[in-house]
Amino acid sequence: MLHVVIMAGGAGTRFWPRSRTTTPKQLLNIVGETTMIQQTAARVESLVKPEQTWVVTNALQAPEVFRQLPLVPRENILIEPVGRNTAPCIGLAALHILKKDPQAVMAVLAADHLIKPDSAFCDTLSSAAKIAHESHACITIGIIPTRPETGYGYIQFVENEFKESGNHRAHRVKTFAEKPNLETAINFVAAGDFLWNSGMFIWRADTIVKLIEIYLPELHEGLMEIEQTLGTTKYDKTLDRVYHKVKGISIDYGVMEHTKDVYVIPSSFEWNDVGSWEEVYHLSPKDATGNAVMGEAILLDSTNTLVYAPGKIVAGIGLNDYIIVSTNDALLIVPRAQAQDVKKIVEELQRRKKNEFL
């Protein structure tokens, strides 16, 4: 049986000032009427029941996750005591899933990706789950690149080595590549055998636990301590102790780059990780001068500018390629070319101990 795990513990610092500690990007309606985590959960409703949906988050964000996903059972919303990257997060989810279903296949998804249409995504996920269940292989979904992007990792695949299910081929992964410089990214796209790494994974729950045992033995030892306390009063204390001693590491570095039995399915759907306000600009409807406005604005002699300011009016003159985001207590003004640097504002607020704005 398929179970879906939604990883939802990120800080979303590039979306300050909307994104805050208790309500980061995935809990906001960045694109669309509903929040990104609600869109993610709704996307898989045709594949899994609420009791087969899991969310891994933290204590600060958990109350809002409970509120936004009322159909997901409380016990399926797993609260990490401290962030330790994706390997511990995935391992913890696998333990809980295996307790319910020893034969389970788990799909690991990010809470904050924009994907459409849902039908094509679910079709891909179904094929990946079938291959993972039958072969015990690890499956990831790669995004067919549309440009030489330097902000994503890449996956190189072998064209003539594959497993099939339905309309999809899962190609053997040749190598995982880190975020490249522009020249390398251009070469990757031109080669034709590279995909963007979406960070979505599908595998049997028992397979990933076994791989963690092989490649991350210290983490596996901690997970086994946690496993012994599942469903008992000792669980919370054990979880806290283990999490504070294990090292933080991503599942990519810790497992996927080492194991050989990994396959990638090229995407048949549109995908965007909505990584910054610049991406929101590209995704938003624009007027004749290229301005995208959420709220009300008077923009004179201004082009290609994003304004987010519901409930107030923003007036600007001579604004070209800017991002302006206004909330009740903060105002962000940044050139679009520097949208990725918004996280530096958050770092500076932390340094100045301006916690009321975080």
Side-chain angles (χ1 to χ4, degrees):
M1 184 180 295
L2 178 63
H3 291 246
V4 168
V5 177
I6 301 173
M7 297 186 293
T13 54
R14 291 184 180 89
F15 280 89
W16 189 89
R18 282 203 71 197
S19 181
R20 303 295 176 97
T21 305
T22 56
T23 52
K25 176 179 71 164
Q26 61 268 22
L27 299 177
L28 300 173
N29 58 334
I30 296 292
V31 180
E33 295 299 316
T34 57
T35 69
M36 302 206 78
I37 195 171
Q38 287 173 325
Q39 291 174 29
T40 302
R43 187 172 297 126
V44 296
E45 282 181 349
S46 65
L47 293 179
V48 294
K49 299 175 182 178
E51 54 267 29
Q52 295 157 242
T53 302
W54 302 77
V55 180
V56 186
T57 187
N58 57 52
L60 286 173
Q61 297 167 18
E64 186 62 13
V65 173
F66 291 144
R67 191 188 71 79
Q68 292 194 15
L69 301 177
L71 297 181
V72 176
R74 285 284 182 112
E75 62 269 22
N76 283 26
I77 297 176
L78 309 178
I79 301 174
E80 294 182 298
V82 61
R84 284 290 183 261
N85 215 315
T86 56
C89 161
I90 289 167
L92 179 65
L95 295 184
H96 284 269
I97 291 170
L98 284 170
K99 185 175 174 63
K100 280 192 173 184
D101 181 2
Q103 299 297 314
V105 173
M106 57 188 285
V108 180
L109 311 177
D112 54 2
H113 290 175
L114 181 66
I115 293 171
K116 58 182 181 180
D118 291 351
S119 56
F121 174 74
C122 288
D123 187 48
T124 302
L125 207 58
S126 293
S127 294
K130 188 172 188 295
I131 295 170
H133 176 73
E134 294 175 352
S135 69
H136 292 249
C138 296
I139 313 298
T140 184
I141 298 175
I143 308 302
I144 297 172
T146 57
R147 61 185 184 276
E149 175 62 55
T150 60
Y152 300 146
Y154 284 72
I155 300 170
Q156 187 180 24
F157 63 92
V158 181
E159 177 68 37
N160 59 358
E161 290 186 45
F162 55 84
K163 299 177 185 293
E164 286 186 294
S165 176
N167 298 319
H168 299 283
R169 282 184 175 180
H171 298 266
R172 181 177 289 279
V173 170
K174 185 174 183 179
T175 186
F176 287 87
E178 300 306 311
K179 296 176 181 177
N181 59 33
L182 182 58
E183 182 181 358
T184 303
I186 291 171
N187 291 334
F188 282 174
V189 174
D193 60 348
F194 282 85
L195 304 167
W196 289 338
N197 186 349
S198 70
M200 293 184 276
F201 302 104
I202 304 93
W203 41 50
R204 288 175 59 114
D206 55 3
T207 295
I208 194 61
V209 171
K210 184 64 178 178
L211 290 173
I212 289 173
E213 181 181 14
I214 295 170
Y215 299 111
L216 298 171
E218 290 182 9
L219 172 58
H220 183 265
E221 183 180 333
L223 291 173
M224 291 304 97
E225 292 179 43
I226 295 170
E227 183 186 44
Q228 294 173 13
T229 68
L230 291 177
T232 75
T233 56
K234 296 180 180 179
Y235 171 77
D236 288 336
K237 187 174 182 180
T238 304
L239 180 69
D240 187 74
R241 175 172 55 78
V242 168
Y243 256 73
H244 278 89
K245 75 176 183 181
V246 299
K247 296 177 182 177
I249 187 169
S250 73
I251 201 72
D252 302 69
Y253 287 132
V255 173
M256 298 299 280
E257 293 184 7
H258 302 290
T259 186
K260 301 301 181 186
D261 203 16
V262 183
Y263 291 77
V264 60
I265 297 180
S267 63
S268 58
F269 49 83
E270 294 180 40
W271 174 90
N272 194 305
D273 75 342
V274 199
S276 69
W277 284 112
E278 171 69 0
E279 289 297 328
V280 175
Y281 171 79
H282 285 294
L283 292 166
S284 300
K286 302 168 188 66
D287 64 19
T289 55
N291 296 318
V293 177
M294 285 160 271
E296 189 174 357
I298 299 173
L299 300 176
L300 305 179
D301 298 323
S302 300
T303 60
N304 305 325
T305 288
L306 171 70
V307 175
Y308 176 90
K312 62 187 70 172
I313 191 165
V314 172
I317 301 174
L319 297 174
N320 300 308
D321 297 292
Y322 267 86
I323 290 166
I324 300 168
V325 181
S326 178
T327 63
N328 290 335
D329 61 352
L331 173 64
L332 170 71
I333 304 172
V334 60
R336 280 177 44 208
Q338 292 179 262
Q340 293 285 344
D341 293 334
V342 172
K343 63 180 180 179
K344 294 179 181 178
I345 297 289
V346 176
E347 292 167 0
E348 182 63 19
L349 288 169
Q350 291 170 337
R351 190 186 70 79
R352 298 188 187 189
K353 295 183 169 56
K354 296 284 188 180
N355 295 330
E356 67 271 28
F357 299 107
L358 293 173

PDB file of all heavy atoms in Angstrom, residues 83 87 130 175 184 243 279 287:
ATOM      1  N   GLY A  83      15.539  20.134  13.938  1.00  0.00           N
ATOM      2  CA  GLY A  83      15.760  19.813  12.531  1.00  0.00           C
ATOM      3  C   GLY A  83      17.093  19.118  12.325  1.00  0.00           C
ATOM      4  O   GLY A  83      18.121  19.583  12.815  1.00  0.00           O
ATOM      5  N   ALA A  87      17.467  12.924   6.035  1.00  0.00           N
ATOM      6  CA  ALA A  87      17.664  11.499   6.332  1.00  0.00           C
ATOM      7  C   ALA A  87      16.981  11.078   7.633  1.00  0.00           C
ATOM      8  O   ALA A  87      16.218  10.103   7.643  1.00  0.00           O
ATOM      9  CB  ALA A  87      19.156  11.154   6.345  1.00  0.00           C
ATOM     10  N   LYS A 130       4.740   1.239  -8.068  1.00  0.00           N
ATOM     11  CA  LYS A 130       4.665  -0.153  -8.543  1.00  0.00           C
ATOM     12  C   LYS A 130       6.074  -0.702  -8.777  1.00  0.00           C
ATOM     13  O   LYS A 130       6.394  -1.834  -8.375  1.00  0.00           O
ATOM     14  CB  LYS A 130       3.849  -0.220  -9.833  1.00  0.00           C
ATOM     15  CG  LYS A 130       3.539  -1.634 -10.318  1.00  0.00           C
ATOM     16  CD  LYS A 130       2.575  -1.592 -11.492  1.00  0.00           C
ATOM     17  CE  LYS A 130       2.097  -2.990 -11.878  1.00  0.00           C
ATOM     18  NZ  LYS A 130       3.181  -3.839 -12.381  1.00  0.00           N
ATOM     19  N   THR A 175      24.593   9.178 -12.142  1.00  0.00           N
ATOM     20  CA  THR A 175      25.237   9.996 -11.114  1.00  0.00           C
ATOM     21  C   THR A 175      24.316  11.123 -10.666  1.00  0.00           C
ATOM     22  O   THR A 175      23.422  11.554 -11.410  1.00  0.00           O
ATOM     23  CB  THR A 175      26.560  10.599 -11.633  1.00  0.00           C
ATOM     24  OG1 THR A 175      27.227  11.272 -10.563  1.00  0.00           O
ATOM     25  CG2 THR A 175      26.310  11.615 -12.742  1.00  0.00           C
ATOM     26  N   THR A 184      28.623  24.708 -16.710  1.00  0.00           N
ATOM     27  CA  THR A 184      28.338  23.285 -16.514  1.00  0.00           C
ATOM     28  C   THR A 184      26.859  22.998 -16.732  1.00  0.00           C
ATOM     29  O   THR A 184      26.486  21.978 -17.346  1.00  0.00           O
ATOM     30  CB  THR A 184      28.757  22.844 -15.102  1.00  0.00           C
ATOM     31  OG1 THR A 184      30.144  23.131 -14.912  1.00  0.00           O
ATOM     32  CG2 THR A 184      28.520  21.350 -14.889  1.00  0.00           C
ATOM     33  N   TYR A 243      17.428  12.479  18.613  1.00  0.00           N
ATOM     34  CA  TYR A 243      17.570  13.583  17.657  1.00  0.00           C
ATOM     35  C   TYR A 243      18.673  14.560  18.052  1.00  0.00           C
ATOM     36  O   TYR A 243      19.304  15.178  17.192  1.00  0.00           O
ATOM     37  CB  TYR A 243      16.239  14.317  17.489  1.00  0.00           C
ATOM     38  CG  TYR A 243      15.535  13.967  16.193  1.00  0.00           C
ATOM     39  CD1 TYR A 243      14.929  12.723  16.030  1.00  0.00           C
ATOM     40  CD2 TYR A 243      15.488  14.856  15.131  1.00  0.00           C
ATOM     41  CE1 TYR A 243      14.297  12.385  14.851  1.00  0.00           C
ATOM     42  CE2 TYR A 243      14.850  14.537  13.943  1.00  0.00           C
ATOM     43  CZ  TYR A 243      14.262  13.289  13.809  1.00  0.00           C
ATOM     44  OH  TYR A 243      13.643  12.962  12.629  1.00  0.00           O
ATOM     45  N   GLU A 279      10.453  33.710  -8.407  1.00  0.00           N
ATOM     46  CA  GLU A 279       9.616  32.677  -9.009  1.00  0.00           C
ATOM     47  C   GLU A 279       8.140  33.069  -8.954  1.00  0.00           C
ATOM     48  O   GLU A 279       7.377  32.791  -9.870  1.00  0.00           O
ATOM     49  CB  GLU A 279       9.836  31.334  -8.296  1.00  0.00           C
ATOM     50  CG  GLU A 279      11.187  30.700  -8.578  1.00  0.00           C
ATOM     51  CD  GLU A 279      11.374  30.350 -10.038  1.00  0.00           C
ATOM     52  OE1 GLU A 279      10.374  30.022 -10.703  1.00  0.00           O
ATOM     53  OE2 GLU A 279      12.523  30.418 -10.529  1.00  0.00           O
ATOM     54  N   ASP A 287       0.434  42.804 -16.044  1.00  0.00           N
ATOM     55  CA  ASP A 287      -0.238  43.778 -16.907  1.00  0.00           C
ATOM     56  C   ASP A 287       0.611  44.042 -18.148  1.00  0.00           C
ATOM     57  O   ASP A 287       1.642  43.386 -18.375  1.00  0.00           O
ATOM     58  CB  ASP A 287      -0.553  45.067 -16.137  1.00  0.00           C
ATOM     59  CG  ASP A 287       0.701  45.799 -15.660  1.00  0.00           C
ATOM     60  OD1 ASP A 287       1.803  45.536 -16.201  1.00  0.00           O
ATOM     61  OD2 ASP A 287       0.583  46.643 -14.749  1.00  0.00           O
TER      62      ASP A 287
END
